[in-house]
């Protein structure tokens, strides 16, 4: 029996994911002792762990890009930027979670462990070119989120939404698996570019299988990205989940799924003429349905849920523009918009989480009344987040949409650009409802009446607000920083057909 | 950043610093020093930066005037901002005659109004928040007019919109104010949509042709790059000129309140009076005229767009004037008068006399700010009651206000020669009727018709402004003494604790499910919840007092500028003639052709007749009494007056109609999302039920319904792929 | 007809019967579960005939053994409320779901599987599914995903604890 040589391991490439996962395990161990019978230690350790993970990403920007572990882990701008973003999102979520969870009487330490692992799952999804790894990341992320959604057991709505999310998620996962199987069948490869292998094989039925496999894979990803018509879980789950989980989920799940979608669509380039019209219509439907359905919602979290559907549509426009004309349109504006989206969403949900008082939580618009008096700083920042979601210049939301609009025009996707412009005008209407609700006075409101420590929340909100200012002021530099993501390192471009 | 105009950044930076000071230190200072000293201190800190910016602007304008006319344009690049593939959008400011004219108006009148506001808002709890917004507004407005590229202009455009939104809703506790603010914001979004598309039209046109035109400068969104090429471009694409011009005009219609997008401006009077004076009369609402003047080459290339501009302007002037007759709220009269005067300015632009439009911007800024501030003084003196039916004989109590407002009134009524309004009106109507500047659309000379409508409106303006003055100051009875104590005379009680109107017409009567507008019950609740701590009610024993010096001083200054000497800017041989100041190229052209007189004697006679006739009619009707047919008893009103009071139903149709339409579209889409697919499913299910005899109530929101939609999506996608393959003749 | 084919046809037929039995006799969940066990068993045999030994073993151990036992426990605990299980009768969605499922099977299945009908030989190595070869792959090239899957299991465990927890 011959032994294979032990390959050299690129420790840096797996460091961020490993650190986050190990932090989760450490948090699990700390929970056994529960010092002081509270979660403060766990939060502190988690934050330190996330910070270290972020530190381990930064030096990789200057390391040679490429794949290791046989393509299972890949290092490129797309992956690194999104990893950093996922870590930041988790960090911000942890900052404001503890007081909220206490207020709702559900301060389970498992939240931190599961959220950390979910983050790790998302990080895996955005840094791999291997379908098996992609699937594992998807499941780690998904299962952790199903459980987190249902963690508020005294609320029927929470349990119901967890069940819905789980069943539909399993349904979506089935499509992903079936798609992977169809891609693996003809090519014997689990690499993401199995499509091009099948095309290169020059056998018609191989191409056919790969095409259908690719289609099913897209279905699964559209489900995770909450794109129409696979979006119906979004408002229900966003509404039912505890607000800090919603914030975490809205950002992490979307970032990871869109990141994976970018890679999958880029890898599907050889068959682009087949699937492009599908994604084209998915993008249009997402923008239209998301924005218009949000108009008639009476619940803030549902509204933001539909807004998330619409934002998924905007991101898809950017991705499609890149896929359509990779030589003209870089991924920079996609990354820019995703970054902005993550920050805005976290900030907005963090403020909305203030609606929870005394174990009860109402998230209808009128439950936000008087927030301006209870928490003026957070409410003031909410204006900023909402302005950014609307796309009022010079916020990051405006620049993001403008860049995407330009990209779509440059790629010759005029209809998408127009739908984007028109629907984002429509969106102003429902976003303003949120602001208005915050400013309406509540009978007998007292400043900070709950006495809940708001330092963590204020810090989280401040971070998001600063990020919005920072990104929009330095739009040029941020864009330049993200632009190298295009430097010919698209997953498909340099790939030769892998061996079977 | 060198050269004589390097200081231009100060103009924007100073109000911005003021904004930061107010926002960061304001609350602290007032808290430490106490309201008695803290508020005047912060007030002074709010006025100073604007005054300083005015000084810088004046200095730059003098420097600019010393240059030869052709080289009176300078671009100051502050820093590189966005650099994308082949586009460069630096943060650059443009110093030229147009922008400096606007800067002087904004900072000059802005400083006066800030000064006035220190008095007017003295008892306001959120004193520094007010000045925070107001300083930010001035900064944004300056970015709008100084920006040298479309992106900066747009940012300023949105910035002033945001500040306007915040200031209309300044007394946010009152839901009606929030709703007025929302209305302004949403209606403006329609305009912004047009403006955005117009900008993209220009960008696309420039980007597509930059090679053929040989544009090497990557800053092809900047005015100094666009404008020189505009002529060539528009000659190549005449259709685009019309499209872009119309889209830009839609943007201008939103900001500058032209019908049908004018419906937000009357509601915007919910904001404090200084805001109405600064934002909704003098500066922000004129940014549409600024935009048209800046892009005048595009408009001159399209007779169709010019005709639309003139037509919309004339229509707005007419409707605004007609509606002003029916208003009993003093600020609403001024609001509709502003709408009407803005229509005038667009008539000027639409007939090609852009300089006349800008001149009217200038004079109107003075006399309308004067009138608004004067009305603020009256409201201040009358315990924040805005209903003119409760005034009367105030000349006895408020002599300074009466005198200064009288000058404003004489200016807007167009009393010949002595007052500024006459000159700017003549500057517009002369070219319109004589067609000296016009680009005409075939035999149908819209511009000329607009001019004749302008004369009609001039007579109406003279009449309704006289009505306002007479009802307020006229020597009739002191009507507030006739009020029964605290028993609302009718539903139009007009009382208001904060000096703003609750908008007790149309909109709150229509509840809709979003709650953007109020139901009657909500309105009652809002009234009940209204804190009345600061002001006593207006009752029979009320004795009006003249306002403090900080409030009448600005009035006096503005009054000086509303006098007829401003007309010198039109004088034929003046070096400062506004037409050649703004458009140096026009002078060159004029050297060859005879530059006709601004107004012929026939027109001047007509002006005499319209303005003096209107004034006489107004005085005769209103000076000594409040006529029954517009008194407190609504049932005695004559139908015309009633229709005017209800804005001829325009607001109801447009406001509620569009809200309902938006809601309907939303509901339909949502219903589609949630119910149609389920409905289809249930329909088939229903058929199944018929056959199977199983009756079962179909429900939605079930996971299986969602899963089914997913399945439908999957089958659609897979089916589409199969169809593609089959139609392509099998896989490749 | 070769011996291989006969074995395959027999096993496949039993597997199909098992699968059909799960849903056809739907009114008794225990019976359905037992049919599922049958199906899993036969699937395991099919894996053996394809040379995937480890997969076959784990199919029988994990699915037919552990998971089905769990299923049966749960079903028997819920047996008193069996009416609950049958309470969702067709409301008209059923036929559509059937139709869509069939459509999808026909499009994907027919288009993809039909061309594979003529394939007889297998290109894979003899040692393809042995525990040794899989173990080697698992601990060399696939070590990283192997680790990740352990975290996946951990997530499942901690998640179920979270959902079962009453207080913190």
């Amino acid at each position: 029996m011959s032994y294979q040589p032990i390959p050299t391991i690129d420790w840096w490439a797996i460091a961020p994911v490993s650190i986050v996962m190990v932090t989760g395990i450490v948090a699990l161990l700390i929970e056994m002792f529960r010092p002081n019978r509270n979660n403060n230690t766990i939060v502190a350790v988690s934050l330190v762990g996330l910070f270290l993970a972020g530190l381990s990403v930064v030096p990789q920007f200057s390391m040679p890009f490429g794949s290791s572990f046989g393509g299972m882990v890949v290092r490129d701008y797309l992956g690194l930027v999104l990893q950093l973003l996922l870590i930041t999102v988790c960090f911000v979520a942890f900052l404001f979670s503890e007081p909220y969870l206490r207020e709702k009487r559900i301060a389970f330490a498992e939240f931190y462990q599961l959220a950390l692992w979910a983050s790790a799952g998302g990080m895996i999804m955005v840094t791999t070119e291997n379908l098996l790894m992609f699937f594992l990341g998807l499941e780690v992320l998904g299962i952790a989120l199903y459980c987190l959604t249902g963690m508020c057991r005294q609320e029927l709505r929470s349990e119901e939404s967890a069940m819905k999310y789980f069943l539909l998620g399993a349904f979506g996962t089935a499509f992903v698996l079936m798609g992977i199987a169809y891609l693996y069948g003809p090519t014997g490869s689990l690499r993401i570019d199995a499509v091009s292998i099948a095309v290169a094989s020059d056998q018609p039925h191989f191409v056919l299988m790969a095409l259908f496999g690719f289609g099913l894979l897209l279905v699964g990803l559209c489900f995770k990205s909450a794109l129409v018509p696979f979006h119906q879980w979004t408002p229900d789950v966003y509404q039912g989940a505890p607000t800090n989980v919603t914030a975490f989920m809205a950002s992490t799940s979307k970032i990871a799924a869109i990141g994976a979608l970018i890679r999958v669509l880029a890898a599907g380039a050889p068959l682009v003429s087949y699937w492009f019209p599908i994604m084209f219509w998915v993008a249009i439907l997402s923008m239209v349905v998301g924005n218009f359905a949000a108009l008639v919602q009476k619940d803030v979290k549902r509204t933001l849920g539909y807004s998330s559907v619409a934002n998924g549509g905007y991101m898809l426009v950017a991705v499609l523009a890149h896929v359509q004309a990779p030589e003209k349109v870089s991924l920079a504006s996609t990354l820019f918009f995703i970054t902005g989206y993550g920050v805005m969403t976290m900030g907005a949900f963090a403020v909305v989480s203030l609606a929870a008082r005394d174990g009860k939580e109402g998230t209808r618009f009128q439950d936000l009344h008087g927030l301006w008096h209870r928490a003026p700083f957070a409410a003031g920042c909410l204006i900023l987040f909402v302005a950014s979601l609307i796309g009022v210049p010079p916020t990051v939301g405006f620049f993001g949409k403008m860049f995407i609009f330009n990209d779509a025009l440059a790629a010759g996707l005029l209809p998408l650009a127009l739908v984007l412009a028109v629907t984002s005008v429509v969106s102003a209407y429902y976003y303003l409802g949120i602001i208005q609700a915050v400013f309406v006075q509540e009978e007998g409101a007292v400043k900070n009446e709950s006495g809940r420590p708001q330092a963590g929340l204020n810090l989280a909100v401040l971070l998001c607000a600063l990020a919005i200012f920072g990104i929009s002021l330095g739009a040029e530099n941020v864009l330049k920083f993200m632009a190298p993501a295009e430097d010919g390192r698209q997953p498909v471009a340099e790939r030769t057909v892998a061996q079977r | 950043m060198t050269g004589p105009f390097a200081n231009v950044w100060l103009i924007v930076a100073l109000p911005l610093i003021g904004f930061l000071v107010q926002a960061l230190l304001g609350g602290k200072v007032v808290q430490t020093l106490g309201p008695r000293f803290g508020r005047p201190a912060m007030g002074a800190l709010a006025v100073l930066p604007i005054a300083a910016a005015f000084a810088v602007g004046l200095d730059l304008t003098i420097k600019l005037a010393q240059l030869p006319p052709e080289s009176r344009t300078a671009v100051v690049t502050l820093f590189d901002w966005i650099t994308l593939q082949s586009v460069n959008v630096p943060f650059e400011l443009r110093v030229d005659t147009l922008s400096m004219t606007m800067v002087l108006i904004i900072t000059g009148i802005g400083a006066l109004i800030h000064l006035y506001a220190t008095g007017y808002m003295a008892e306001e709890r959120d004193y520094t928040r007010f000045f925070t917004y107001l300083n930010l507004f001035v900064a944004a407005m300056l970015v709008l007019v100084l920006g040298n590229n479309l992106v900066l202009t747009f940012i300023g455009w949105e910035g002033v919109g945001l500040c306007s939104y915040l200031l209309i809703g300044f007394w946010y506790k009152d839901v009606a104010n929030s709703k007025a603010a929302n209305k302004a914001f949403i209606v403006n979004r329609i305009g912004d949509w047009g403006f955005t598309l117009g900008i993209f039209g220009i960008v696309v046109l420039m980007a597509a042709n930059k090679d053929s035109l040989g544009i090497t400068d990557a800053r092809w969104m900047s005015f100094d790059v666009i404008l020189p090429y505009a002529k060539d471009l528009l000659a190549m694409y005449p259709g685009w000129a019309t499209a872009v011009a119309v889209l830009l005009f839609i943007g201008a219609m939103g900001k500058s309140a032209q019908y049908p997008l004018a419906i937000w401006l009357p509601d915007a009077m919910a904001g404090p009076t200084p805001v109405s004076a600064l934002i909704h009369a003098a500066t922000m609402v004129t940014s549409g005229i600024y935009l048209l003047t800046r892009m005048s080459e595009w408009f001159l290339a399209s007779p169709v767009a010019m005709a639309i501009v003139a037509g919309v302007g004339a229509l707005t002037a007419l409707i605004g004037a007609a509606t002003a007759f029916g208003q009993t709220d003093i600020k609403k009269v001024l609001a509709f008068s502003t709408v009407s005067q803005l229509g005038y300015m667009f008539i000027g632009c639409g007939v090609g006399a852009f300089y006349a439009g800008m001149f009217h911007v200038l004079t109107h800024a003075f006399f309308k700010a004067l009138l608004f501030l004067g009305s603020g003084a009256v409201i201040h003196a009358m315990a924040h009651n805005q209903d003119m039916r409760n005034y009367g004989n105030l000349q006895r109590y408020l002599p300074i206000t009466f005198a200064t407002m009288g000058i404003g009134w004489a200016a807007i009524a167009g009393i010949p020669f002595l007052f500024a309004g006459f000159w700017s009106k003549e500057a517009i109507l002369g070219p319109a009727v004589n067609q000296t500047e016009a680009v005409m659309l075939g035999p149908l000379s819209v511009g000329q018709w607009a001019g004749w409508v302008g004369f009609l409106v001039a007579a109406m303006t003279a009449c309704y402004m006289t009505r306002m003055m007479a009802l307020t100051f006229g020597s009739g009875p002191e009507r507030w003494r006739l009020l029964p104590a605290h028993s609302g005379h009718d539903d139009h009680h007009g009382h208001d604790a904060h000096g703003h109107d609750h908008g007790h017409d149309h909109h709150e009567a229509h509840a809709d499910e979003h709650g953007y507008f109020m139901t009657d019950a909500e309105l009652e609740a809002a009234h009940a919840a209204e804190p009345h701590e600061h002001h006593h009610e207006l009752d029979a024993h009320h004795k009006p007092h003249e306002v403090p010096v900080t409030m009448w001083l600005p009035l006096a200054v503005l009054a000086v500028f509303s006098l007829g000497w401003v007309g010198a800017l039109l004088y034929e041989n003046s070096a400062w003639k506004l037409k050649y100041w703004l458009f140096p190229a026009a002078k060159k052209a004029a050297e060859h052709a005879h530059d006709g007189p601004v107004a012929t004697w026939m027109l001047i006679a007509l002006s005499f007749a319209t303005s003096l006739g209107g004034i006489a009619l107004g005085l005769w009707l209103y000076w000594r009494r409040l006529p029954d047919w517009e008194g407190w008893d609504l049932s005695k009103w004559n139908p015309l007056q009633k229709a005017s009071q209800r804005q001829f139903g325009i607001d109801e149709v447009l406001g509620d109609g569009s809200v309902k339409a938006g809601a309907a579209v939303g509901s339909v889409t949502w219903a589609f999302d949630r119910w149609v697919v389920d409905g289809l499913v249930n329909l088939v299910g229903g058929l199944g039920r018929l056959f199977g005899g199983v009756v079962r109530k179909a429900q939605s929101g079930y996971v299986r319904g969602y899963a089914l939609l997913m399945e439908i999506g999957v089958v659609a996608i897979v089916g589409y792929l199969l169809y593609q393959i089959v139609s392509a003749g099998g896989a490749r | 007809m070769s011996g291989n084919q006969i074995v395959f046809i027999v096993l496949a037929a039993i597997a199909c019967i098992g699968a059909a039995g799960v849903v056809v006799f739907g009114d008794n969940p225990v019976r359905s579960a037992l049919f599922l066990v049958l199906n899993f068993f036969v699937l395991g045999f099919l894996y053996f005939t394809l040379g995937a030994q480890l997969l076959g073993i784990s199919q029988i151990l994990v699915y037919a053994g552990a998971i089905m036992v769990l299923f049966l426990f749960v079903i028997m605990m819920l047996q008193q409320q069996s009416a609950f299980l049958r309470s969702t009768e067709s409301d008209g969605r059923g036929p559509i779901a059937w139709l869509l499922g069939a459509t999808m099977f026909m499009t994907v299945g027919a288009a993809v599987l039909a061309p594979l009908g003529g394939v007889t030989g297998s290109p894979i190595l003899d040692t393809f599914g042995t525990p040794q070869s899989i173990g080697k792959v698992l601990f060399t090239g696939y070590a990283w995903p192997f680790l990740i899957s352990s975290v996946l299991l951990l997530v499942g465990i901690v998640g179920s604890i979270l959902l079962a927890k009453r207080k913190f």
Side-chain angles (χ1 to χ4, degrees), chain A residues 149 157-158 160-162 164-165 168 223 225-242 246 249-250 254 289-290 293-294 297-310 349 363, chain B residues 670 673-674 701 706 709:
Chain A
T149 304
R157 214 171 48 189
S158 173
E160 182 192 325
S161 65
K164 271 183 187 165
Y165 193 19
L168 294 172
F223 173 83
S225 324
L227 293 168
V228 177
F230 309 104
H231 68 290
Q232 280 193 310
W233 58 276
T234 319
D236 285 9
V237 173
Y238 276 32
Q239 185 189 16
T246 312
M249 171 169 65
K254 183 78 89 193
V289 170
Q297 301 305 316
K298 295 188 176 63
D299 185 291
V300 181
K301 279 156 85 179
R302 285 188 80 83
T303 306
L304 287 173
Y306 275 111
S307 138
S308 155
V309 173
F349 274 115
T363 53
Chain B
W670 185 71
D673 186 46
R674 218 26 215 281
Y706 296 178
L709 180 64

Side-chain angles (χ1 to χ4, degrees), chain B residues 696-719:
Chain B
R696 198 158 196 71
K697 197 176 178 315
Q699 281 163 302
S700 187
Y702 276 136
V703 177
R704 56 176 185 240
Y706 296 178
L708 199 59
L709 180 64
M710 281 177 71
E711 181 70 17
I712 291 172
V714 174
V715 170
I717 289 177
V718 169

Side-chain angles (χ1 to χ4, degrees), chain B residues 81 135 216 256 269 411 433 467 546 559 577 617 643 699 724:
Chain B
W81 185 31
N135 274 337
T216 47
S256 295
M269 295 302 132
V433 173
R467 168 178 177 268
E546 185 60 277
K577 182 163 180 176
L617 184 68
Q699 281 163 302
Q724 286 266 299

Side-chain angles (χ1 to χ4, degrees), chain B residues 251-307:
Chain B
M253 280 164 74
K255 261 298 166 271
S256 295
Q258 297 296 292
Y259 279 100
L261 298 185
I263 55 176
W264 64 271
L265 188 57
D267 286 18
M269 295 302 132
T273 302
V275 171
S276 310
L278 178 61
I279 300 184
H280 304 123
T283 54
M284 185 186 86
V285 288
T286 59
S287 48
I289 292 98
Y290 163 78
L291 179 70
L292 260 62
T293 311
R294 174 65 79 208
M295 303 304 285
S296 54
E297 315 218 0
W298 291 74
F299 284 87
L300 287 169
S302 167
V304 181
M306 293 293 272

Side-chain angles (χ1 to χ4, degrees), chain A residues 236 297 372 429 436 476 479, chain B residues 81 84 172 182 516 670 706:
Chain A
D236 285 9
Q297 301 305 316
W372 173 252
Y429 193 78
Q436 186 191 318
E476 176 204 352
L479 210 59
Chain B
W81 185 31
L84 289 166
Y172 56 85
N182 275 332
Y516 280 96
W670 185 71
Y706 296 178

Side-chain angles (χ1 to χ4, degrees), chain A residues 225-489:
Chain A
S225 324
L227 293 168
V228 177
F230 309 104
H231 68 290
Q232 280 193 310
W233 58 276
T234 319
D236 285 9
V237 173
Y238 276 32
Q239 185 189 16
T243 306
N244 64 335
V245 175
T246 312
F248 178 75
M249 171 169 65
S251 310
T252 304
S253 183
K254 183 78 89 193
I255 294 165
I258 293 284
L261 195 63
I262 292 172
R263 290 189 193 279
V264 168
L265 287 184
L271 295 175
V272 68
S273 61
Y274 288 106
W275 57 259
F276 195 83
I278 296 174
M279 296 316 279
F280 181 87
W281 282 104
V282 165
I284 287 184
L285 280 175
S286 298
M287 289 187 283
V288 171
V289 170
N291 278 319
F292 278 97
L295 282 181
V296 289
Q297 301 305 316
K298 295 188 176 63
D299 185 291
V300 181
K301 279 156 85 179
R302 285 188 80 83
T303 306
L304 287 173
Y306 275 111
S307 138
S308 155
V309 173
N311 276 294
Y314 303 150
M315 293 174 202
L316 188 55
V317 172
V319 179
L320 289 181
H322 169 67
V323 173
Q324 183 80 342
E327 71 286 350
K328 273 193 244 163
V329 177
S330 73
L331 274 173
S333 49
T334 317
L335 290 179
F336 188 90
F337 189 85
I338 295 179
T339 310
Y341 170 81
V343 175
M344 301 184 279
T345 313
M346 286 309 291
F349 274 115
V351 179
V352 171
S353 81
L354 281 173
R357 274 178 285 172
D358 289 334
K360 286 191 282 293
E361 180 173 23
T363 53
R364 287 167 308 161
F365 279 101
Q366 60 260 43
D367 293 312
L368 286 181
H369 286 187
L371 193 63
W372 173 252
H373 269 266
R374 283 196 287 134
F377 175 73
C381 288
L382 183 64
I383 298 180
L384 178 68
F385 302 139
V386 172
S388 186
L389 281 166
I390 296 175
V392 176
T395 55
V396 60
F398 166 74
F399 284 113
K401 279 182 191 165
M402 190 183 85
F403 293 150
I404 293 180
F405 190 93
N406 280 343
D407 281 3
L409 283 185
L413 299 172
L414 185 65
L416 287 182
L418 288 183
V419 172
L420 188 149
V422 171
T423 53
S424 56
V425 171
V426 169
S427 70
Y429 193 78
Y430 60 81
Y431 286 130
L432 280 178
I434 300 178
I435 293 193
Q436 186 191 318
V438 168
F439 277 97
V440 173
Q441 197 180 27
E442 186 189 38
E443 293 293 316
V446 187
K447 198 174 177 187
N448 196 9
E449 63 173 19
S450 67
R452 190 203 301 184
Q454 288 182 337
L457 184 125
N458 282 344
L459 183 59
V461 170
L462 180 70
L463 279 181
C464 293
L466 285 181
I468 285 187
F469 273 123
I471 296 172
S472 46
L473 282 182
E476 176 204 352
N477 290 326
V478 175
L479 210 59
K480 255 185 204 155
F481 174 73
M482 288 170 173
E486 65 170 325
D487 62 354
R489 254 213 56 80

